[in-house]
Amino acid sequence: MDNDHNRSKLGVTVKPEWLRVKAPQWQRVGSVKEILRDLALNTVCEEASCPNIGECFNAGTATFLIMGPACTRACPYCDIDFEKKPLPLDATEPLRLAEAVQRLKLNHVVITSVNRDDLPDGGANQFVRCIEEVRRISPLTTIEVLIPDLCGNWEALAVILQAKPEVLNHNTETIPRLYRRVRPQGNYQRSLELLQRTREIAPQVYTKSGIMVGLGETDAEVREVMQDLRKVDCDILTIGQYLQPSQKHLGVQDFVTPQQFDAWREYGESIGFLQVVSSPLTRSSYHAEQVRKLMEKYPR
């Protein structure tokens, strides 16, 4: 895999041409931001400094970040603020989120959250309330939830699944060898178990996961993660380039070429994923609206 990477002698790389993003059309971006500010909502697009914010906001889509903006975990790759004792949950948040979905006329919405390890249910009931409010106000909108690992609280997982989101997404993030460094409070097997239990509890729900590359993993290790995800019958996979948010975060080890991302997409499709979105700028919710087409093609 190293031969397919853009690596300098010092292991520090200059961002290649394929990672440059076009400047967004601020008129559309501004209108989305205005709605978010008016309703006092957070998005992972902004909090995590996503490179696709211009494209997604231009398209009128956003990934809502609930129970935040501070997280109870301090993963060294993530740009979301750490707070050991975050604020109590806001009972008005689900309604405000649903109103934003209606105002933005979203066909498909992604709802994610910070880790709330301070809550007994990890925030499961807040996810449920958000799903219920969106269903009430925008009944034709399909819902994807991108959830944390809930510290292995499988009763909390079942609570979320009882609300019947169309898609349940939980990111694996990286390869097992790098977990201690990249995701120290996470657990690779626990993440796989979450996806497996989702399939068992709610077989009609489409399951999804994502990994980031460029942290020193090998091609073989990425493929092993893909195989592990297929063993738990994961439907959809996203693979994207890790970008260092600031000097205090983990450094980029490699910039992976578009050709390597294409190879992973082809491999993923060959082992049975319904969809693999794999490119340098792919993020968990990038082009998530394509899930609607997937559901039409593979109905459950």
Side-chain angles (χ1 to χ4, degrees):
M1 185 174 173
D2 288 347
N3 293 333
D4 290 325
H5 284 45
N6 186 34
R7 186 198 292 264
S8 76
K9 292 179 181 178
L10 297 175
V12 179
T13 52
V14 177
K15 190 180 289 188
E17 185 66 33
W18 62 76
L19 282 169
R20 299 201 179 159
V21 183
K22 291 181 181 178
Q25 299 170 16
W26 287 107
Q27 185 175 357
R28 179 58 168 141
V29 170
S31 67
V32 175
K33 279 181 173 284
E34 191 176 316
I35 290 171
L36 296 171
R37 296 296 84 79
D38 184 38
L39 295 169
L41 292 168
N42 300 305
T43 66
V44 73
C45 324
E46 296 168 294
E47 299 299 331
S49 307
C50 180
N52 304 312
I53 187 169
E55 180 182 351
C56 293
F57 276 19
N58 275 326
T61 63
T63 297
F64 295 98
L65 181 72
I66 63 173
M67 298 183 277
C71 183
T72 55
R73 298 188 190 180
C75 298
Y77 66 87
C78 184
D79 203 23
I80 292 176
D81 291 337
F82 166 71
E83 179 59 63
K84 193 171 184 179
K85 294 182 179 179
L87 294 171
L89 296 182
D90 185 339
T92 70
E93 182 177 55
L95 181 58
R96 288 183 286 111
L97 187 153
E99 187 174 335
V101 169
Q102 184 183 47
R103 284 203 212 173
L104 290 167
K105 298 180 174 63
L106 299 185
N107 292 319
H108 183 81
V109 62
V110 183
I111 305 168
T112 189
S113 79
V114 293
N115 284 280
R116 289 299 301 259
D117 296 341
D118 58 312
L119 301 173
D121 70 347
N125 280 290
Q126 190 79 340
F127 269 108
V128 170
R129 286 191 284 271
C130 288
I131 294 169
E132 290 173 345
E133 287 296 339
V134 172
R135 290 257 193 265
R136 185 176 66 82
I137 293 178
S138 301
L140 298 181
T141 299
T142 49
I143 299 172
E144 175 177 332
V145 291
L146 170 54
I147 68 171
D149 62 23
L150 306 171
C151 296
N153 182 341
W154 307 132
E155 290 181 4
L157 173 64
V159 166
I160 294 173
L161 291 170
Q162 284 167 8
K164 299 183 179 178
E166 276 77 15
V167 182
L168 187 131
N169 186 351
H170 173 68
N171 286 335
T172 318
E173 301 293 11
T174 189
I175 61 164
R177 177 173 59 83
L178 295 177
Y179 250 66
R180 183 169 292 183
R181 180 162 66 92
V182 175
R183 201 182 182 199
Q185 292 163 283
N187 181 287
Y188 180 71
Q189 291 301 328
R190 183 165 66 199
S191 287
L192 289 177
E193 185 176 356
L194 185 152
L195 292 164
Q196 183 172 18
R197 285 178 178 268
T198 296
R199 172 64 67 239
E200 293 167 356
I201 295 167
Q204 79 283 1
V205 170
Y206 297 84
T207 54
K208 179 177 176 180
S209 192
I211 58 174
M212 54 189 172
V213 293
L215 287 162
E217 66 292 316
T218 68
D219 175 52
E221 287 174 318
V222 172
R223 290 175 185 246
E224 286 173 10
V225 171
M226 296 170 77
Q227 292 164 10
D228 287 344
L229 288 169
R230 282 303 301 136
K231 286 175 185 174
V232 296
D233 203 18
C234 182
D235 296 310
I236 305 164
L237 175 65
T238 59
I239 308 175
Q241 171 72 50
Y242 167 69
L243 297 175
Q244 184 179 12
S246 76
Q247 288 301 311
K248 68 180 182 180
H249 291 86
L250 287 175
V252 175
Q253 298 300 308
D254 311 279
F255 285 124
V256 183
T257 64
Q259 292 78 13
Q260 178 65 71
F261 281 104
D262 287 343
W264 285 327
R265 176 181 51 76
E266 292 169 5
Y267 177 69
E269 290 170 350
S270 76
I271 62 173
F273 285 103
L274 300 184
Q275 181 185 56
V276 181
V277 184
S278 176
S279 73
L281 289 172
T282 290
R283 295 296 180 268
S284 299
S285 308
Y286 190 47
H287 290 173
E289 72 280 359
Q290 293 178 358
V291 168
R292 287 177 70 94
K293 295 178 183 177
L294 186 82
M295 291 163 61
E296 292 171 8
K297 188 175 180 181
Y298 304 101
R300 287 185 180 158

